[in-house]
């Protein structure tokens, strides 16, 4: 790495996120300079198939000029405004109406009726937590404040959202969770944790019982809300076991616990339906969404709240006056205009339908890797899937963490021109929703080469699975 190279400039100026930054000092970052469809290009002109749509999010790929045109037009008309102090703008109104028109079905008799805009999924989830507490204070239940997430669930990096997140690395040395108001129930990973002979449905029953046991141990009068991603992103693009959400929602209704669906990854066609809540019959009290809301061409997110919660906000405002929530760049008109155009393109180009149509090819191509000695499990839905790497797939024995098998697979894939994401030793795939069948085959072929290269390395080190 030359001392005056762009990589050196990057290291001199930027702290990279979700990166082993000590190791990065030796290699430098790969700097991207362009994109075309499902591909991106680095400063050396190397092409990569973006198997993760960036951060699970560039649903329309990396060269959608219609979104650039929408941004430019809004820049010319009204480049910035806010929604503070009884003011607003039409770009936010238009987008909110579109979101509510396509919102998932809420809890029976309690539809999702209003939108609060933010800039990130973390902000959405922080706001949802605050609203849970705010509403319960109004209802005279000051003790009903505990929030339950799931082990290996991911809900963001801000202090409250990271406390809710169930990933140990997000807590370690950050003094998180911030209080005992944040709890975590079992990680519903059937393949890794099912008992001998236990079906997915039986496993789901056990997971629901774990949740109920936790609520009873804490006291139902203290437990306010449960957060879940329809498909766990940080947990490894992990789909729920059959009947899981049906049984979980039964427990939540029994103890009057709100359900907040974190749709930041799953929303807008990722699971083959507009929402992951549609795919899994989730009836939430609130929905957080972002990422594909603007195809990630602008930073924007939204929290959809139920009419019951909205009425509580009105009551609190009548009692307290100002609703003291807001962010300077929330509902930014350029971001709203780009998001609105994104939703229009989804409809015009039948993007959700396309995702559903190519899903069998996508899931089938990855399932075809199941014959590889390193692959223990492949599962997914729509255009999101995870491939589990195992030291012994028959006995479901994992590699030792220090072997960093998942990270090595991620790096080898990148060397071969494929960008994927390792969550432990589970490799995640969430390509742009516009990916076509030949590109799906290319993606699977590149990953098979990755697995072959990794197997050669592990064999040389004496770590390969037994034949």
């Amino acid at each position: 790495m030359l001392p005056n190279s762009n990589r050196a400039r990057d290291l001199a100026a930027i702290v990279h996120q979700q990166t082993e930054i000590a190791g990065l000092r030796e290699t430098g970052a790969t700097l991207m300079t362009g994109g075309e469809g499902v591909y991106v290009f680095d400063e050396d002109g190397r092409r990569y198939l973006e198997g993760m749509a960036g951060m699970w999010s560039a649903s329309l790929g990396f060269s959608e000029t219609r979104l650039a045109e929408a941004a430019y037009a809004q820049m010319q008309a009204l480049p910035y405004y806010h929604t503070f102090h009884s003011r607003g703008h039409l770009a936010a109104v238009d987008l909110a109406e579109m979101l509510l028109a396509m919102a998932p079905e809420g809890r029976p008799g309690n539809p999702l009726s209003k939108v609060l805009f933010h800039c990130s999924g973390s902000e959405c989830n922080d706001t949802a937590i605050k609203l849970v507490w705010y509403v319960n204070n109004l209802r005279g239940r000051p003790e009903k404040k505990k929030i339950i997430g799931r082990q290996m669930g991911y809900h963001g990096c801000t202090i409250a959202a990271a406390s809710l997140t169930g990933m140990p690395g997000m807590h370690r040395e950050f003094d998180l969770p911030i209080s005992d108001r944040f709890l975590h129930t079992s990680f519903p990973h059937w393949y890794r944790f099912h008992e001998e002979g236990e079906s997915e449905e039986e496993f789901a029953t056990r997971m629901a019982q774990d949740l109920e046991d936790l609520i009873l141990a804490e006291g139902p009068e203290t437990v306010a809300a449960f957060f879940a991603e329809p498909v766990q992103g940080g947990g490894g693009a992990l789909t729920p076991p059959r009947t899981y959400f049906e049984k979980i929602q039964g427990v939540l209704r029994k103890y009057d616990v709100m359900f907040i669906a974190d749709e930041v990854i799953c929303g807008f066609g990722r699971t083959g339906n507009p929402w992951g809540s549609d795919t899994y019959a989730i009836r939430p009290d609130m929905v957080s969404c972002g990422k594909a809301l603007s195809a990630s061409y602008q930073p924007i997110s939204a929290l959809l709240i139920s009419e019951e919660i909205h009425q509580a906000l009105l009551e609190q405002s009548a009692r307290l006056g100002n609703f003291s929530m807001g962010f300077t760049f929330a509902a930014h008109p350029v971001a709203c205009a780009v998001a609105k155009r994104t939703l229009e393109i989804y409809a015009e180009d039948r993007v959700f339908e396309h995702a559903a149509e190519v899903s069998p090819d996508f899931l089938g191509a990855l399932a075809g890797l199941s014959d590889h000695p390193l692959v223990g499990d492949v599962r997914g839905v729509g255009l999101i899937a995870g491939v589990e790497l195992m030291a012994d797939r028959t006995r479901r024995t994992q590699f030792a963490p220090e072997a960093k098998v998942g990270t090595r697979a991620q790096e080898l894939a990148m060397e071969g021109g494929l960008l994927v994401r390792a969550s432990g030793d589970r490799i995640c795939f969430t390509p742009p929703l516009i990916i076509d069948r030949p590109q799906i085959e290319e993606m699977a072929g590149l990953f098979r080469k990755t697995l072959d290269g990794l197997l050669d390395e592990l064999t040389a080190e004496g770590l390969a699975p037994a034949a």
Side-chain angles (χ1 to χ4, degrees), residues 375-390:
V375 174
D377 180 58
V378 180
R379 64 188 58 229
V381 64
L383 289 180
I384 179 169
V387 176
E388 191 108 10
L389 308 182
M390 300 294 279

Side-chain angles (χ1 to χ4, degrees), residues 129 132-133 144-151 153 155 160-161 163-166 180-187 207-208 210-220 222-229 244 248 251-252 255 257-261:
I129 292 166
V132 168
W133 294 341
K144 198 171 179 68
K145 298 293 176 61
K146 293 177 182 176
I147 312 287
I148 299 177
R150 297 183 293 179
Q151 295 165 11
H155 301 287
S163 294
L164 175 63
T165 289
D180 60 5
R181 285 186 175 185
F182 294 94
L183 311 169
H184 298 91
T185 191
S186 302
F187 181 25
M207 295 296 97
D210 285 354
L211 174 62
E212 184 166 18
D213 290 346
L214 176 60
I215 291 171
L216 290 172
E218 296 292 328
T222 73
V223 179
F226 172 80
F227 279 70
E229 310 151 88
Y244 174 79
I248 289 293
V251 173
L252 300 178
Y255 296 106
V257 176
M258 291 187 199
F259 191 155
I260 294 85

Side-chain angles (χ1 to χ4, degrees), residues 172-184:
R172 199 163 47 235
E173 301 297 337
F174 286 114
D175 288 355
L176 296 176
I178 52 174
S179 79
D180 60 5
R181 285 186 175 185
F182 294 94
L183 311 169
H184 298 91

Side-chain angles (χ1 to χ4, degrees), residues 144-448:
K144 198 171 179 68
K145 298 293 176 61
K146 293 177 182 176
I147 312 287
I148 299 177
R150 297 183 293 179
Q151 295 165 11
M152 295 305 293
Y154 181 80
H155 301 287
C157 280
T158 49
I159 290 175
S163 294
L164 175 63
T165 289
M167 304 176 75
M170 300 288 294
H171 298 163
R172 199 163 47 235
E173 301 297 337
F174 286 114
D175 288 355
L176 296 176
I178 52 174
S179 79
D180 60 5
R181 285 186 175 185
F182 294 94
L183 311 169
H184 298 91
T185 191
S186 302
F187 181 25
H189 191 332
W190 175 81
Y191 170 73
R192 193 182 297 173
F193 298 121
H194 74 269
E195 296 172 355
E196 192 64 34
E198 187 177 36
S199 69
E200 288 192 41
E201 292 85 353
E202 291 167 339
F203 179 78
T205 298
R206 180 156 60 89
M207 295 296 97
Q209 187 62 56
D210 285 354
L211 174 62
E212 184 166 18
D213 290 346
L214 176 60
I215 291 171
L216 290 172
E218 296 292 328
E221 73 283 357
T222 73
V223 179
F226 172 80
F227 279 70
E229 310 151 88
V231 177
Q232 285 189 255
L238 187 74
T239 55
R242 285 188 292 272
T243 71
Y244 174 79
F245 279 116
E246 174 189 342
K247 291 167 179 172
I248 289 293
Q249 288 179 101
V251 173
L252 300 178
R253 287 190 293 269
K254 182 177 180 180
Y255 296 106
D256 190 20
V257 176
M258 291 187 199
F259 191 155
I260 294 85
D262 184 336
E263 292 265 11
V264 175
I265 286 174
C266 295
F268 309 105
R270 178 57 62 188
T271 64
N273 289 301
W275 305 94
S277 294
D278 298 330
T279 300
Y280 295 110
I282 296 169
R283 303 291 178 254
D285 296 276
M286 291 187 257
V287 169
S288 56
C289 62
K291 292 189 184 290
L293 172 56
S294 67
S296 291
Y297 279 50
Q298 283 284 291
I300 185 170
S301 61
L303 180 67
L304 283 60
I305 66 172
S306 71
E307 181 56 27
E308 183 179 315
I309 292 171
H310 174 240
Q311 289 300 319
L313 301 189
L314 292 177
E315 289 182 49
Q316 283 285 44
S317 179
R319 187 172 69 90
L320 301 174
N322 195 53
F323 176 55
S324 298
M325 275 290 303
F327 299 89
T328 301
F329 299 120
H332 192 289
V334 177
C336 287
V338 170
K340 174 177 178 286
R341 189 71 186 104
T342 300
L343 297 186
E344 291 171 346
I345 291 170
Y346 288 153
E348 292 167 9
D349 293 0
R350 299 182 67 255
V351 172
F352 299 167
E353 293 85 349
H354 170 78
E357 288 163 6
V358 301
S359 173
D361 300 272
F362 168 74
L363 298 175
L366 293 179
L369 301 170
S370 298
D371 62 352
H372 197 279
L374 292 176
V375 174
D377 180 58
V378 180
R379 64 188 58 229
V381 64
L383 289 180
I384 179 169
V387 176
E388 191 108 10
L389 308 182
M390 300 294 279
D392 186 328
R393 59 186 182 180
T394 303
R395 295 181 176 86
R396 289 183 283 138
T397 304
Q398 300 175 60
F399 286 99
E402 56 268 22
K404 296 184 176 180
V405 169
T407 300
R408 291 166 67 175
Q410 176 179 293
E411 292 171 352
L412 282 171
M414 186 170 183
E415 289 175 15
L418 173 65
L419 300 177
V420 292
R421 169 82 172 270
S423 175
D425 289 344
R426 192 172 174 86
I427 309 302
C428 306
F429 293 81
T430 56
L433 300 183
I434 61 171
I435 195 168
D436 61 26
R437 290 177 173 87
Q439 291 163 346
I440 287 170
E441 289 302 319
E442 178 188 0
M443 180 192 73
L446 289 170
F447 193 60
R448 182 173 285 278

